[in-house]
Amino acid sequence: MLEWPESFIPSFLIDADQEAQKARDARLSELFHQPLTLRRLRSMRADPFYRPLMELDRNSATDFALNSP
């Protein structure tokens, strides 16, 4: 069992994820200016198939794991 610090607030994980999303969106908006391109890139980034492929291309590794029954 994990021992959490007394000041641990689990909702910080959601807050951190939302802030990371805002930062990624801001960076994409700096690099690409066409709304259709931005929409496609955001969709690819969130896609459960393409995301691991992009991680493999970038890092030669991914945390993607197949869930088998």
Side-chain angles (χ1 to χ4, degrees):
M1 180 158 147
L2 292 174
E3 293 183 28
W4 299 105
E6 289 191 27
S7 62
F8 178 75
I9 301 171
S11 65
F12 92 94
L13 294 171
I14 299 296
D15 296 339
D17 189 56
Q18 289 173 340
E19 290 302 315
Q21 179 73 37
K22 287 179 194 175
R24 287 189 299 262
D25 286 345
R27 182 66 176 139
L28 283 175
S29 294
E30 290 173 10
L31 298 172
F32 302 96
H33 305 289
Q34 297 291 327
L36 179 58
T37 302
L38 286 167
R39 191 166 47 249
R40 286 183 177 172
L41 289 171
R42 288 180 183 129
S43 176
M44 287 176 67
R45 185 189 65 227
D47 187 283
F49 178 76
Y50 287 119
R51 176 66 186 243
L53 290 178
M54 290 185 283
E55 288 179 12
L56 280 171
D57 182 60
R58 174 71 184 231
N59 304 323
S60 299
T62 183
D63 61 358
F64 178 73
L66 292 175
N67 294 326
S68 57

